Amino acid sequence: MNKPIIIALDFPESGEAIRFSEKLDPSLCRLKVGKELFTSSGPLLVETLMKKGFDIFLDLKFHDIPNTVASACKAAASLGVWMVNVHALGGSAMMKKAREALQESPCKLIAVTLLTSMGLEEIREIGLQGEPEDIVERLAMLAKSSGLDGVVCSGLEAARLRKKFGKDFCLVTPGIRPSGSDAHDQKRVMTPKIAMSNGSDYLVIGRPIREAIDPNRALEAIMQEIGR
Ligand code: C5P
């Protein structure tokens, strides 16, 4: 898979995001624009980043009634982004409708299974039973049968999902921490090397690169670690 690293642009506004993106080479990585940055800076920022040559994963994790999610996915894809996502917890009717809305679009559509910030306590708190790995597998199965291109999953589940769903199902893994770095609020973390060898196609990495003194060097070190 070329360019497996997706850098999370979790900045409050476009100025900072653009300055940071200028330190990066679009031939080496992709960028993820999430809720904070998209809410403050919107489609104009996405367009600016795409003009600089970056593929954009628009991480808005839609979760609503099927019609609303489908329309939102269509609007997102029409910006020309590389990938958009929904929450698998929204169910198969919602995911199928989203898929239908992107039928004509090259934009990849994936689903979030369980957030990597959720440990067993949080999973129980919302009433989900069973082991996190089993819940993730069930939600991934629902995403696949709804026609989605892949899922977001933790590195801990990647091996199992890769084995179960084969090589054409895209696995995107956040919660990545090079060994020795701070886990922050992430609970189910994994090193870049182990996540890739477990079968992840793309690694979403935020703070370990964003907060590095030299982000490009941090990116290069991770690329080296995963053998690119
Ligand atoms: O800074 P850090 O590497 O923890 O950033 C991870 C990024 O991945 C954040 O933008 C977060 O919103 C996103 N993400 C996640 N867990 C998911 C889906 C997305 O951490 N299940």
Side-chain angles (χ1 to χ4, degrees):
M1 191 66 62
N2 76 350
K3 292 198 283 183
I5 310 282
I6 305 172
I7 301 179
L9 279 187
D10 293 329
F11 290 105
E13 49 83 35
S14 63
E16 255 182 279
I18 289 169
R19 279 192 297 282
F20 178 77
S21 76
E22 281 163 356
K23 296 180 188 161
L24 301 167
D25 179 348
S27 70
L28 296 183
C29 61
R30 303 172 201 259
L31 299 177
K32 181 174 87 68
V33 173
K35 291 188 172 87
E36 181 186 21
L37 189 56
F38 193 73
T39 302
S40 70
S41 309
L44 196 59
L45 169 74
V46 169
E47 201 180 306
T48 306
L49 295 170
M50 288 189 315
K51 276 195 186 139
K52 289 180 183 293
F54 289 103
D55 291 333
I56 304 295
F57 170 19
L58 192 55
D59 176 25
L60 300 180
K61 298 188 183 73
F62 295 127
H63 186 174
D64 208 312
I65 60 170
N67 194 50
T68 302
V69 166
S71 310
C73 284
K74 197 167 184 179
S78 74
L79 300 176
V81 299
W82 164 69
M83 182 183 269
V84 297
N85 62 357
V86 299
H87 268 287
L89 285 166
S92 62
M94 186 200 83
M95 288 192 278
K96 282 179 185 158
K97 191 102 179 168
R99 170 80 283 164
E100 269 168 44
L102 296 194
Q103 218 60 274
E104 312 280 291
S105 167
C107 181
K108 285 183 190 295
L109 175 63
I110 62 166
V112 174
T113 52
L114 278 181
L115 295 170
T116 45
S117 58
M118 293 188 86
L120 203 56
E121 204 179 315
E122 289 86 358
I123 289 168
R124 293 288 178 264
E125 185 188 56
I126 60 166
L128 291 176
Q129 299 303 321
E131 292 305 308
E133 294 74 22
D134 296 329
I135 300 170
V136 168
E137 187 178 313
R138 202 177 63 241
L139 291 169
M141 176 79 89
L142 211 57
K144 189 166 181 6
S145 63
S146 304
L148 269 62
D149 298 305
V151 289
V152 180
C153 67
S154 94
L156 300 169
E157 295 112 24
R160 182 166 162 179
L161 297 185
R162 176 60 65 221
K163 201 165 162 215
K164 175 121 191 151
F165 300 113
K167 65 177 174 41
D168 292 332
F169 197 56
C170 176
L171 302 179
V172 178
T173 300
I176 297 296
R177 291 294 179 272
S179 38
S181 63
D182 190 343
H184 304 100
D185 53 351
Q186 300 281 20
K187 301 253 167 67
R188 294 179 290 128
V189 298
M190 181 156 282
T191 67
K193 191 174 180 176
I194 300 177
M196 291 300 285
S197 59
N198 277 358
S200 297
D201 296 301
Y202 298 101
L203 307 180
V204 175
I205 309 181
R207 286 162 287 187
I209 293 180
R210 244 180 19 252
E211 293 175 358
I213 295 167
D214 184 342
N216 229 344
R217 247 176 107 169
L219 171 62
E220 276 168 15
I222 291 169
M223 304 264 287
Q224 217 164 46
E225 184 185 328
I226 61 173
R228 308 285 163 141

